[in-house]
Amino acid sequence: MMRLRDIAALGSVLTALAGSAGAQDRPGFKDTPVLPGGQWRVHDADRPTPTVVTPAAQPGGAPSDAIVLFDGRSVDAWSPKGTPWPVKDGVLTVPSRGPDGKGGGDLVSKQSFGDVQLHLEFRSPNPPTKTSQDRGNSGIWFMQRYEVQILDGYQNPTYADGTVGAVYGWKPPLVNASRKPGEWQTYDIIFERPRFAADGSLVRPAYVTALLNGVVVQNHQAMLGTTIWRQVAKYEAHGDAAPIQLQDHDSPVSFRNIWVRPLPESPIAQDLKENSK
């Protein structure tokens, strides 16, 4: 008669054999050529599969691995440079100037980021009361340096590199995809930070890909450097992470549903880092 400990040992052996068979049965191949620049073969059965991320139930919602910066309830993820930005009915709005003429100041994320995917929804004031750069003006400053412009771009003539969807002071948007004042608009942006060598020299510029209302307005566009008004931008070496900043440009632009996903370094960026040492 087989003893209990013998039965347990046999069970362990069978489990191990089953696991081994499962690994051998995993879809893929072991006899295909090795892909360039790595250890994996074409259709390699042992190549790690992607991490599972659950998308939001509604389009534009934060996926399961996102860092939510504003969900309509609080601004705990942000630090105001001046007067706190008010939240009402799930909406965050740039405050009006007070009797002393001072505005709320920019809003700065408490957390720092490098390469990120950002989703943000904004709304320009309606009815509009001003024109050009004074109409629905704000901006998204990645790493507090590199600006993608927010503006009321609907039938509002202004200089091309300052309209909504522009890399401010550098590249106009590929198209004008603006909605009317008072309508909610969406930005989906992928920002890749610049890379610097140990001596501070630029190895690779920042890049931005931006979709405004689902339309590509910047397609992996290189940035010139730190955004500056009426001058050509230029780079100054800085760290690998810094806050995201929302601009107060004396216009009551509203925001909702802001989230980010930190992105891993691309293989190109990793190679540049190694070569710059």
Side-chain angles (χ1 to χ4, degrees):
M1 180 179 292
M2 189 174 281
R3 291 174 294 182
L4 288 177
R5 64 181 182 183
D6 295 329
I7 294 173
L10 178 61
S12 298
V13 171
L14 293 175
T15 299
L17 290 173
S20 176
Q24 293 175 354
D25 293 341
R26 182 186 299 171
F29 298 87
K30 302 291 290 181
D31 59 351
T32 50
V34 175
L35 290 163
Q39 69 186 85
W40 307 112
R41 298 178 179 276
V42 177
H43 316 312
D44 201 316
D46 293 334
R47 193 169 189 175
T49 55
T51 300
V52 174
V53 172
T54 304
Q58 298 296 325
S64 60
D65 65 342
I67 297 171
V68 177
L69 297 181
F70 180 66
D71 62 1
R73 289 175 289 184
S74 76
V75 289
D76 289 346
W78 302 88
S79 297
K81 283 190 171 182
T83 304
W85 291 21
V87 176
K88 183 179 179 181
D89 298 329
V91 175
L92 176 69
T93 302
V94 177
S96 302
R97 290 188 178 272
D100 58 1
K102 295 182 179 179
D106 298 338
L107 204 62
V108 181
S109 68
K110 293 179 180 178
Q111 190 166 345
S112 294
F113 303 96
D115 296 356
V116 292
Q117 172 190 349
L118 175 139
H119 176 91
L120 173 150
E121 298 171 18
F122 70 95
R123 181 178 64 191
S124 300
N126 187 42
T129 58
K130 300 178 180 180
T131 61
S132 187
Q133 292 294 295
D134 293 323
R135 181 171 152 181
N137 193 327
S138 182
I140 306 164
W141 292 68
F142 292 94
M143 307 191 85
Q144 294 189 277
R145 292 173 175 84
Y146 310 105
E147 184 186 11
V148 175
Q149 175 74 318
I150 290 175
L151 193 79
D152 182 352
Y154 185 81
Q155 298 180 359
N156 179 31
T158 191
Y159 44 85
D161 61 7
T163 193
V164 65
V167 176
Y168 188 81
W170 167 225
K171 283 293 182 179
L174 298 173
V175 294
N176 182 344
S178 299
R179 298 190 189 278
K180 296 179 181 179
E183 295 184 6
W184 282 104
Q185 310 197 60
T186 62
Y187 255 136
D188 289 284
I189 301 173
I190 295 173
F191 172 80
E192 301 174 59
R193 67 174 178 83
R195 268 63 181 179
F196 300 95
D199 62 2
S201 60
L202 182 68
V203 175
R204 181 174 184 256
Y207 285 90
V208 65
T209 298
L211 286 80
L212 175 64
N213 299 319
V215 180
V216 175
V217 291
Q218 299 290 342
N219 185 13
H220 200 241
Q221 175 60 55
M223 305 182 91
L224 282 181
T226 300
T227 300
I228 186 168
W229 185 49
R230 297 184 60 185
Q231 296 184 40
V232 177
K234 62 181 180 180
Y235 284 101
E236 294 182 359
H238 56 75
D240 293 348
I244 293 170
Q245 184 169 303
L246 300 181
Q247 184 183 39
D248 174 0
H249 199 278
D250 193 23
S251 183
V253 177
S254 296
F255 298 88
R256 69 181 185 186
N257 193 22
I258 306 172
W259 52 265
V260 296
R261 296 180 63 246
L263 300 175
E265 280 196 346
S266 67
I268 293 176
Q270 293 173 358
D271 291 344
L272 289 172
K273 181 189 291 186
E274 291 300 319
N275 294 334
S276 65
K277 291 181 180 179

